[in-house]
C-alpha cells in the first residue's frame, strides 16, 4: 500500500498562495482539501460545517456521488467540443433544462455568472436596438465590464471607471423609483429576485409583477439574475417561481453543474434566434460540464432539494429569529439563503464562527450570510444555530 507522505499542512498551502497569487482575495486562515455533503475538511483533518456553500456553487453538497460518477464517465468519452459541433451531452442537457425552466426558452451556454449576465445585457441590446440598462442599488451581477456596470457597489466600480455607458441604478423593491426611469429608450431592467451580496433582501410580493407590467408598457425587456437564487436555493427550483412572472431572460450559474464552472442564459422563445456570430465562447456547452449539469439537475429534482431548502430554510429562520441577541437588527431570507443583519461589522463574527467549526459568509459589511448546501442535515443546522447564538452573545 502506498503511504502518502507529502500531505501538505495548512501553513504550507496558505504560504504558497500568499507568495504566488495576485492578492485579490482576503483569505481565511485554513486550507480546504476535502468535502462531503455539507462538511469540509482542512489539510490537518479538522471538520467544518459549510455555510459558505461554494459561495452558492454547492447547492448539491460537496462531491455529490451523481456528479462524481458523471465526471468519471464523461471524462473518458469527451471533454471539449466547441459549439460548432453538436454534442450528445449538450443536446440532452438543453432539452432537460428547457423542460425544467418555468417558461419556454432557448439556451446560451457559457462558463460563469458574470458571463451569463454579460450575455444577457448584450442580447437585450441586440433584440431591442436600445442601449439603456436599469439595475438596482445594492445589486451584484459580477466583475466583467458589462456585469460590473450593472453592479452597484462603488468600491467594485470606481477603480475601473469609465464603465460601459448607459447604465442607471434605482432603489431595489421600489416601483415608484423604477417607474420614473423606465421609458421608451430602456433596453432592459436587470434584477435579482432576492439580492444576495447586497445583504440578502427578498423582493416584496407584487414587485416583480409590477416590474413586468412596466417593462411591457415601454417595450423594455425584463432580465432576472438567478445566478445565486437558482437551482433550489430559495425553496423553488428558480426564485421567480415564487411570483407569477415570466422574464425575457434569466441568467444562471453557480450551482448549475454541481460545482463546475458553467453559466447559461435562458432566452424566452418568443425572441426567436440571435444573429449567427454575434456572441460566443470557446468553453461554452462543453460535454464535461454539460454531463455534470445533467446529473446536477436530475439530483436536485429527484432528491426534492427545492422543497428541502424551503423546509430547512423556514426552520433555520425561525431558530435564528428566536435567538435573543441584542446585536441582531433583523433576520431575513428565503429558503436556505439567510442573512442576519447586525448592528456591528460582521467580520469578527465570521472569525469566531470559524473557531467553532462553522464557515459562513458576509453579505456587505454588517450582514452574516448562511448559504449551506441544500443537503445539510438538521443536526448540522442545529450545530450552526448553536454556534451563531454563542458568537452573537459573545459566550
Ligand atoms: C456570484 C454572482 C454573480 C457572478 O457570478 P460569477 O460566476 O462569480 O461571475 C452574478 N450575479 C449574482 C446574483 C451572483 O450572486
Amino acid at each position: 500500500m502506498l503511504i502518502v507522505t507529502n500531505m501538505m499542512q495548512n501553513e504550507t498551502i496558505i504560504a504558497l498562495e500568499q507568495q504566488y497569487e495576485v492578492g485579490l482575495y482576503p483569505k481565511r486562515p485554513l486550507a480546504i482539501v476535502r468535502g462531503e455533503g455539507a462538511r469540509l475538511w482542512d489539510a490537518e483533518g479538522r471538520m467544518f460545517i459549510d455555510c459558505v456553500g461554494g459561495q452558492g456553487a454547492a447547492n448539491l453538497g460537496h462531491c455529490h456521488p451523481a456528479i462524481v460518477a458523471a465526471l468519471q464517465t464523461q471524462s473518458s468519452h469527451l471533454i471539449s467540443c466547441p459549439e460548432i459541433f453538436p454534442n450528445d451531452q449538450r443536446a440532452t442537457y438543453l432539452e432537460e433544462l428547457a423542460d425544467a425552466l418555468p417558461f419556454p426558452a432557448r439556451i446560451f451556454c457559457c462558463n460563469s455568472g458574470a458571463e451569463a449576465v454579460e450575455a444577457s445585457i448584450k442580447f437585450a441590446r441586440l433584440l431591442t436596438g436600445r442601449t439603456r440598462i436599469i439595475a438596482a442599488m445594492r445589486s451584484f451581477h459580477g466583475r466583467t465590464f458589462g456585469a460590473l456596470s450593472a453592479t452597484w457597489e462603488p468600491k467594485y466600480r470606481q477603480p475601473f471607471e469609465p464603465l460601459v455607458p448607459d447604465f442607471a441604478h434605482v432603489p431595489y423593491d421600489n416601483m415608484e423609483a423604477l417607474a420614473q426611469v423606465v421609458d421608451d429608450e430602456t433596453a432592459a431592467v436587470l434584477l435579482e429576485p432576492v439580492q444576495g451580496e447586497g445583504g440578502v433582501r427578498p423582493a416584496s410580493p407584487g414587485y416583480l409583477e409590477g416590474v413586468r407590467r412596466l417593462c411591457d408598457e415601454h417595450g423594455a425587456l425584463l432580465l432576472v439574475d438567478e445566478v445565486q437564487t437558482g437551482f433550489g436555493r430559495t425553496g423553488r427550483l428558480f426564485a421567480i417561481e415564487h411570483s407569477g412572472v415570466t422574464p425575457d431572460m434569466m441568467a444562471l450559474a453557480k450551482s448549475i453543474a454541481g460545482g463546475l464552472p458553467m453559466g447559461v442564459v435562458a432566452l424566452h422563445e418568443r425572441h426567436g434566434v440571435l444573429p449567427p456570430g454575434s456572441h460566443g465562447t470557446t468553453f461554452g456547452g462543453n460535454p464535461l460540464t454539460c454531463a455534470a449539469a445533467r446529473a446536477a439537475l436530475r439530483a436536485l429534482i429527484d432528491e426534492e432539494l427545492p422543497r428541502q431548502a424551503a423546509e430547512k430554510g423556514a426552520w433555520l429562520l425561525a431558530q435564528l429569529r428566536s435567538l435573543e441577541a441584542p446585536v441582531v437588527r433583523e433576520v431575513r431570507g428565503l429558503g436556505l439563503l439567510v442573512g442576519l443583519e447586525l448592528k456591528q461589522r460582521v467580520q469578527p463574527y465570521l472569525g469566531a464562527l470559524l473557531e467553532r467549526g462553522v464557515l459562513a459568509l458576509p453579505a456587505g459589511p454588517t450582514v452574516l450570510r448562511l448559504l449551506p448546501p441544500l443537503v445539510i442535515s438538521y443536526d448540522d443546522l442545529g450545530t450552526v444555530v448553536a454556534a451563531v447564538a454563542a458568537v452573537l452573545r459573545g459566550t
Side-chain angles (χ1 to χ4, degrees):
M1 196 177 102
L2 182 72
I3 309 283
V4 180
T5 51
N6 64 340
M7 286 276 290
M8 293 171 84
Q9 301 294 294
N10 280 335
E11 277 149 52
T12 320
I13 299 168
I14 292 166
L16 278 171
E17 291 199 5
Q18 211 165 14
Q19 185 178 352
Y20 290 106
E21 279 199 325
V22 295
L24 295 174
Y25 303 97
K27 299 265 180 177
R28 309 278 177 96
L30 78 170
I32 301 294
V33 298
R34 190 164 71 81
E36 190 184 320
R39 294 175 169 199
L40 290 168
W41 283 265
D42 74 2
E44 274 133 49
R46 186 165 174 215
M47 192 271 281
F48 294 85
I49 300 175
D50 179 21
C51 291
V52 169
Q55 290 178 328
N59 288 7
L60 275 178
H62 299 283
C63 296
H64 189 290
I67 304 296
V68 174
L71 291 176
Q72 282 174 343
T73 306
Q74 185 59 33
S75 61
S76 63
H77 291 320
L78 188 64
I79 294 175
S80 70
C81 175
E83 292 238 14
I84 55 170
F85 302 111
N87 168 263
D88 59 336
Q89 294 303 319
R90 185 192 308 128
T92 315
Y93 180 57
L94 293 177
E95 181 181 42
E96 290 166 352
L97 179 60
D99 284 346
L101 288 169
F103 56 96
R106 290 177 175 274
I107 295 157
F108 166 72
C109 294
C110 54
N111 317 291
S112 70
E115 274 180 72
V117 169
E118 198 77 26
S120 54
I121 293 167
K122 289 179 72 177
F123 296 169
R125 287 187 168 181
L126 270 179
L127 288 165
T128 61
R130 305 173 183 179
T131 54
R132 174 140 270 232
I133 308 288
I134 312 292
M137 291 173 178
R138 296 203 171 99
S139 64
F140 184 84
H141 298 293
R143 311 287 201 132
T144 54
F145 267 98
L148 183 62
S149 303
T151 292
W152 181 71
E153 176 61 49
K155 77 167 189 272
Y156 297 156
R157 298 166 56 88
Q158 275 162 1
F160 303 102
E161 289 173 350
L163 301 180
V164 179
D166 223 8
F167 281 71
H169 291 85
V170 294
Y172 185 68
D173 206 23
N174 180 327
M175 267 318 292
E176 284 101 83
L178 191 66
Q180 279 175 17
V181 298
V182 174
D183 60 21
D184 294 353
E185 316 263 274
T186 305
V189 175
L190 168 60
L191 293 170
E192 298 158 84
V194 181
Q195 289 192 320
E197 310 288 319
V200 186
R201 297 166 201 279
S204 304
Y207 175 64
L208 292 172
E209 287 85 343
V211 178
R212 178 73 270 180
R213 275 194 301 276
L214 187 64
C215 287
D216 289 341
E217 282 164 27
H218 293 282
L221 305 184
L222 173 57
L223 318 183
V224 294
D225 179 345
E226 290 235 25
V227 169
Q228 185 160 157
T229 54
F231 298 106
R233 174 56 58 188
T234 70
R236 305 292 295 262
L237 194 53
F238 303 103
I240 50 157
E241 295 177 273
H242 294 283
S243 73
V245 166
T246 300
D248 292 284
M249 283 178 240
M250 180 154 80
L252 296 167
K254 294 214 162 113
S255 277
I256 188 169
L260 270 79
M262 183 179 189
V264 305
V265 177
L267 171 66
H268 196 291
E269 79 173 5
R270 70 169 160 258
H271 296 296
V273 295
L274 297 165
S278 56
H279 190 59
T281 165
T282 300
F283 286 123
N286 72 78
L288 191 66
T289 52
C290 286
R294 291 186 62 199
L297 185 60
R298 206 172 320 121
L300 275 164
I301 294 169
D302 289 352
E303 295 171 29
E304 298 186 69
L305 290 179
R307 182 183 56 75
Q308 291 200 41
E311 290 171 7
K312 292 169 185 172
W315 184 86
L316 180 61
L317 273 179
Q319 295 289 311
L320 294 171
R321 283 183 175 137
S322 71
L323 294 182
E324 277 159 32
V327 70
V328 178
R329 194 184 297 283
E330 192 186 12
V331 181
R332 298 187 286 266
L334 192 62
L336 276 174
L337 175 50
V338 172
L340 294 94
E341 179 157 354
L342 309 180
K343 295 173 189 163
Q344 295 173 19
R345 299 188 69 78
V346 66
Q347 214 59 47
Y349 294 100
L350 296 174
L353 279 174
L354 187 147
E355 291 298 315
R356 289 172 181 270
V358 173
L359 305 177
L361 277 173
T366 58
V367 176
L368 174 66
R369 180 171 37 151
L370 301 174
L371 212 56
L374 312 184
V375 298
I376 192 169
S377 68
Y378 279 97
D379 268 3
D380 280 356
L381 273 181
T383 306
V384 170
V385 171
V388 168
V391 305
L392 292 179
R393 295 192 194 116
T395 52

